[in-house]
Amino acid sequence: QVQLVESGGGLVQPGGSLRLSCAASGSIFTINDMGWYRQAPGKEREWVAVITMGTANYADSVKGRFTVSRDNTKNTLYLQMNSLKPEDTAVYYCNADVVLQSRSIINTWGQGTLVTVSS
C-alpha cells in the first residue's frame, strides 16, 4: 500500500557530510510523524530524529550535527548529516505514520540505506 525508499547513503570520511532522503509513495492521504532510525552492527535499532507537525527532535548523540526536514508536497523526508563520526556508521531507516486514502493509519519502514564513516 505504501512504500518508503531511502537513498543517499555511502562512504564518507570523518568530518564529512551526507544527505539522506526518504520518499513515500502509494495510497497516501497524508503523513503524520516521520523519522529516522539507525542500526549499527551488533547493536539495536535506535531513534535518531523525528519531525512532528513541523517540530524536530533529535537524539543527544546527533544534536547540533544532524538536521531533519520534510517536503510535504513530495512526501519526502530528509536528513542532513554534518560532522560525521565513525560511530555514526549504521544502516539508516526511515519510519512514517501514514494515513491511507481509506483513512486507516499504518506505521511503516523503509528498507534502509548504509552510511559508513571511515578514513
Side-chain angles (χ1 to χ4, degrees):
Q1 290 172 316
V2 173
Q3 276 193 319
L4 301 181
V5 179
E6 299 100 332
S7 60
L11 174 64
V12 63
Q13 292 186 341
S17 298
L18 280 177
R19 188 192 194 209
L20 305 183
S21 299
C22 169
S25 62
S27 183
I28 299 170
F29 175 70
T30 191
I31 301 176
N32 294 332
D33 295 358
M34 292 188 84
W36 290 98
Y37 291 72
R38 67 186 181 186
Q39 187 166 17
K43 295 188 177 181
E44 294 187 352
R45 191 173 298 188
E46 65 175 2
W47 167 70
V48 174
V50 66
I51 188 163
T52 303
M53 300 293 290
T55 299
N57 289 285
Y58 301 91
D60 287 344
S61 59
V62 306
K63 202 171 293 183
R65 300 187 296 121
F66 290 10
T67 302
V68 63
S69 61
R70 61 190 283 182
D71 184 338
N72 293 326
T73 65
K74 297 180 180 179
N75 286 331
T76 300
L77 180 72
Y78 303 98
L79 185 67
Q80 178 66 44
M81 305 185 294
N82 298 328
S83 302
L84 282 161
K85 305 175 181 180
E87 51 263 44
D88 295 317
T89 295
V91 177
Y92 283 71
Y93 296 91
C94 177
N95 178 267
D97 288 328
V98 180
V99 181
L100 302 176
Q101 294 287 352
S102 65
R103 302 305 189 264
S104 297
I105 300 175
I106 63 170
N107 181 269
T108 189
W109 293 88
Q111 83 289 348
T113 186
L114 177 63
V115 172
T116 303
V117 185
S118 175
S119 55

